[in-house]
Amino acid sequence: MATTNDLKNGLVLNIEGQLWQVVEFQHVKPGKGPAFVRTKLKNVLSGKTVDKTFNAGLKIETATVDRRDMQYSYKDGDDFVFMDMSTYEQTYVSAETVGDAAKYMLEGQDVIVAFHEENVLFVELPAAVVLTVSHTEPGLQGDRSSAGTKPATLETGTEIQVPLFLNEGDKVKVDTRSGSYISRVTD
């Protein structure tokens, strides 16, 4: 058990038998009336997002979530296989559970896999990953109809918008939360 004062991003709550992860929270102290906490919660299993308000100091039940450092090994049919680096145990995770993280994962990449009672809840990538551009058209100098960006396909098969100066084979840093280009990476 915790109180609403203990809320932080990433905390998993057990509300009416369902697991909800705190995406955002804000403590509000209005001029009149009692303080409250405004939250944005994401259902861990369905991915549905809701806004919920709690009275300040209210006791809430937290879920025990075991975050393990694992390495993405390979894809087996519709499942992704992760290996626990301390025990070398392999865990199969469905594509539905992996979700959008699959767009930015390469074999051998370190990730965090969250478990609750030995069930996989979600796969968490680093905030940014470095990937190679596998295909993009040459950027035409002076073409500003697209605000200086062009589509590029990454080595994982994901397409993002990149600046015109990038070419095939360039390495780029990509934000895994928004899927946007951050910078070019030079070796």
Side-chain angles (χ1 to χ4, degrees):
M1 282 294 218
T3 68
T4 54
N5 299 332
D6 301 325
L7 287 180
K8 60 184 178 199
N9 291 346
L11 184 68
V12 178
L13 308 175
N14 187 347
I15 302 172
E16 297 170 6
Q18 292 189 14
L19 299 178
W20 297 85
Q21 184 176 22
V22 177
V23 178
E24 294 175 12
F25 70 97
Q26 178 183 19
H27 291 275
V28 180
K29 176 73 174 112
K32 259 187 347 192
F36 60 91
V37 180
R38 188 178 295 135
T39 62
K40 182 181 276 189
L41 303 173
K42 178 181 172 189
N43 188 302
V44 173
L45 300 176
S46 70
K48 177 181 167 186
T49 305
V50 298
D51 293 323
K52 189 163 176 68
T53 304
F54 298 98
N55 292 330
L58 182 74
K59 289 201 179 299
I60 49 177
E61 188 178 343
T62 58
T64 305
V65 175
D66 180 21
R67 287 178 156 83
R68 300 181 196 163
D69 291 324
M70 299 186 108
Q71 189 177 71
Y72 170 51
S73 296
Y74 59 93
K75 189 168 183 194
D76 184 14
D78 287 339
D79 292 339
F80 290 82
V81 181
F82 296 90
M83 182 171 58
D84 189 321
M85 297 309 292
S86 57
T87 64
Y88 301 109
E89 212 174 274
Q90 290 189 337
T91 302
Y92 287 76
V93 181
S94 70
E96 186 179 304
T97 303
V98 172
D100 285 345
K103 295 179 182 179
Y104 310 105
M105 284 191 322
L106 290 175
E107 291 181 6
Q109 184 173 12
D110 293 333
V111 299
I112 294 173
V113 179
F115 291 84
H116 175 67
E117 297 174 356
E118 292 308 309
N119 294 321
V120 176
L121 298 178
F122 55 87
V123 174
E124 199 174 287
L125 292 176
V129 293
V130 175
L131 297 169
T132 304
V133 175
S134 63
H135 176 74
T136 188
E137 298 296 324
L140 298 173
Q141 198 58 29
D143 174 20
R144 293 293 178 255
S145 63
S146 56
T149 63
K150 62 182 179 179
T153 305
L154 303 175
E155 59 188 307
T156 59
T158 301
E159 190 173 287
I160 64 168
Q161 291 293 317
V162 298
L164 293 172
F165 60 81
L166 286 172
N167 299 308
E168 289 182 12
D170 286 348
K171 291 184 186 245
V172 294
K173 187 181 275 191
V174 180
D175 185 325
T176 58
R177 297 161 299 199
S178 65
S180 60
Y181 165 86
I182 298 174
S183 67
R184 177 159 77 179
V185 177
T186 53
D187 292 330

